[in-house]
Amino acid sequence: MDETRHILVGQSPRTRQVLHLIQKLGKCRWPALLLGETGTGKEVVARAIHNISAQGPFVTIDCSSMVGPLMESELFGHVKGAFTGAASAKIGLIESANGGTALFDEIGELPLDLQAKLLRVLQEKEFRPVGSVTTRRSDFRIIAATNRDLAKEVEKGTFRRDLYFRLNVINIRLAPLRERREDIPALINHFLARVGGNYTITAEAMEVLLSYDWPGNVRELENCIQHMVAINSGPLLHVADLPSNLQNFILQKKSQYLTAAAAAPPQAAPAQTLAAPAPPPVPDPVAGPSGVIPLAELERRAILNALEYTKGDRAIAAHLLGIGRTTLYRKLKEYHMENR
Ligand SMILES: Nc1ncnc2c1ncn2[C@@H]1O[C@H](COP(=O)(O)OP(=O)(O)O)[C@@H](O)[C@H]1O
Ligand SMILES: [Mg+2]
């Protein structure tokens, strides 16, 4: 296992505060509740807390991936013959976590009946495997993670209040990446170091990476870097190597800029200035009096931009535009640009 996977990278004040809390929490065995959007590093934090105490196993229980009747047996195990298909006895995740840490990921997805059973394990350290008449013991530290607002779920009645209070002794809120952009360069270096090789991001590409909003947070950034390294042998990683979601973002920004330039009224020059006044923005000839440019025109320009950028390479242009090659050919025909 690559141990660098569990290092929490970042120097922003918010990340430093999280590192500080991890140090404190690592020394005790209280429950912790990790809150944050997907990909913000909840699992990294849980492992970091566990690694400080370094006691027993670390077990991740992904409540969103377990469904239906098998969920209870995944958690608590079952005895042989407990239900059709239970050919042998099975130890559940709760029992495997004995003596260590259990991370309940996406705990908001846990159904109410299992919430009640989990609460019992936390209080009594006891549980019963499916089909068993005897109880067993498991004592573990619980860390719960969620991207939901659990307090709201409690109000709605979909999450047990008593379990919520039990879990919410100490909570750590992980900020979305767009609210701590200072962490982005360090994270990029970390991911680049992990793939090995001697890669560098160009200044233009870095500018895009710093201004994108990262809805998938650090996970999306990690995937983005892996994509760039996969399609370019390096050492320089360019804007053209960015994956399609970022290419769309660039095109969107360009068209916003064009629309804004077209809509801006000509500015009156300041009364007295020594510097040469900036020329008034040229209104877009295609825009009507409202200044709005029709979508088809923006699409045509995006295609032109992409072809210009790739020096006519249609396969890469289609990739940059985030569309298939046949769609690009169809659109070229539509806009009478087959000869571009
Ligand atoms: N601060 C960080 N430093 C280094 N890697 C991080 C950091 N935050 C997240 N990651 C990486 O991003 C990915 C998603 O993190 P994860 O902890 O699974 O997020 P979550 O559980 O909140 O969805 C993982 O591959 C993880 O290693
Ligand atoms: Mg996760």
Side-chain angles (χ1 to χ4, degrees):
M1 172 72 106
D2 175 6
E3 280 307 316
T4 59
R5 284 195 70 82
H6 308 317
I7 297 172
L8 192 81
V9 174
Q11 280 295 319
S12 67
R14 301 183 78 160
T15 301
R16 266 191 282 188
Q17 198 186 357
V18 170
L19 282 163
H20 180 69
L21 278 170
I22 290 173
Q23 288 302 326
K24 284 186 111 171
L25 274 171
K27 297 191 189 100
C28 62
R29 284 182 62 80
W30 287 338
L33 181 61
L34 311 179
L35 306 166
E37 290 177 11
T38 177
T40 46
K42 297 186 291 295
E43 184 159 351
V44 183
V45 169
R47 281 185 188 274
I49 294 172
H50 169 76
N51 284 348
I52 293 176
S53 60
Q55 272 177 18
F58 179 88
V59 176
T60 300
I61 299 169
D62 183 356
C63 302
S64 64
S65 74
M66 292 188 293
V67 279
L70 285 182
M71 201 164 179
E72 183 172 353
S73 112
E74 284 279 325
L75 278 180
F76 301 101
H78 60 245
V79 295
K80 184 177 170 184
F83 47 85
T84 323
S88 56
K90 177 182 157 161
I91 289 186
L93 292 164
I94 296 259
E95 193 166 350
S96 336
N98 190 18
T101 306
L103 165 64
F104 276 76
D105 205 358
E106 300 305 345
I107 190 141
E109 310 282 326
L110 202 64
L112 279 164
D113 58 327
L114 294 182
Q115 288 176 26
K117 290 186 171 156
L118 172 60
L119 184 65
R120 186 176 135 94
V121 187
L122 297 178
Q123 284 170 339
E124 317 290 339
K125 322 271 178 239
E126 270 183 10
F127 66 96
R128 222 152 31 105
V130 177
S132 169
V133 286
T134 54
T135 56
R136 298 169 88 115
R137 287 186 67 79
S138 182
D139 186 3
F140 55 89
R141 181 207 196 131
I142 184 165
I143 300 181
T146 182
N147 63 2
R148 293 203 193 175
D149 183 345
L150 277 191
K152 257 199 199 138
E153 305 278 328
V154 170
E155 288 313 313
K156 279 198 302 190
T158 49
F159 201 86
R160 285 183 71 110
R161 189 179 299 271
D162 43 11
L163 179 59
Y164 175 62
F165 283 138
R166 182 110 201 165
L167 297 173
N168 195 22
V169 179
I170 295 169
N171 67 48
I172 302 185
R173 210 169 272 277
L174 294 167
L177 190 55
R178 63 186 167 280
E179 288 175 17
R180 47 178 168 110
R181 295 180 195 267
E182 313 95 286
D183 285 345
I184 292 176
L187 283 165
I188 292 176
N189 285 338
H190 170 70
F191 295 136
L192 284 177
R194 250 187 22 206
V195 293
N198 197 15
Y199 292 101
T200 315
I201 305 266
T202 63
E204 293 79 20
M206 185 59 100
E207 205 182 309
V208 177
L209 294 170
L210 283 170
S211 55
Y212 181 62
D213 268 348
W214 302 107
N217 295 294
V218 185
R219 182 176 291 112
E220 190 181 4
L221 175 62
E222 184 177 9
N223 292 342
C224 167
I225 299 299
Q226 281 170 357
H227 172 97
M228 293 178 87
V229 167
I231 68 166
N232 187 322
S233 49
L236 271 186
L237 301 174
H238 301 273
V239 168
D241 304 324
L242 291 166
S244 59
N245 45 347
L246 276 104
Q247 298 296 347
N248 288 338
F249 166 70
I250 297 170
L251 292 172
Q252 221 175 336
K253 279 201 44 159
K254 271 194 188 158
S255 62
Q256 270 167 11
Y257 172 78
L258 283 172
T259 317
Q267 284 175 358
Q272 274 207 333
T273 168
L274 291 176
V282 187
D284 196 298
V286 183
S290 62
V292 175
I293 303 172
L295 270 184
E297 172 59 16
L298 288 178
E299 185 172 80
R300 197 184 67 85
R301 288 181 195 179
I303 293 172
L304 270 179
N305 269 343
L307 287 173
E308 211 169 286
Y309 191 83
T310 62
K311 300 198 170 55
D313 187 317
R314 295 175 181 202
I316 302 179
H319 172 76
L320 294 181
L321 290 163
I323 57 178
R325 227 187 304 180
T326 31
T327 313
L328 177 59
Y329 280 106
R330 184 167 49 73
K331 287 185 186 293
L332 286 172
K333 209 164 165 195
E334 211 172 288
Y335 296 123
H336 306 291
M337 303 196 302
E338 292 109 311
N339 299 328
R340 288 276 170 176

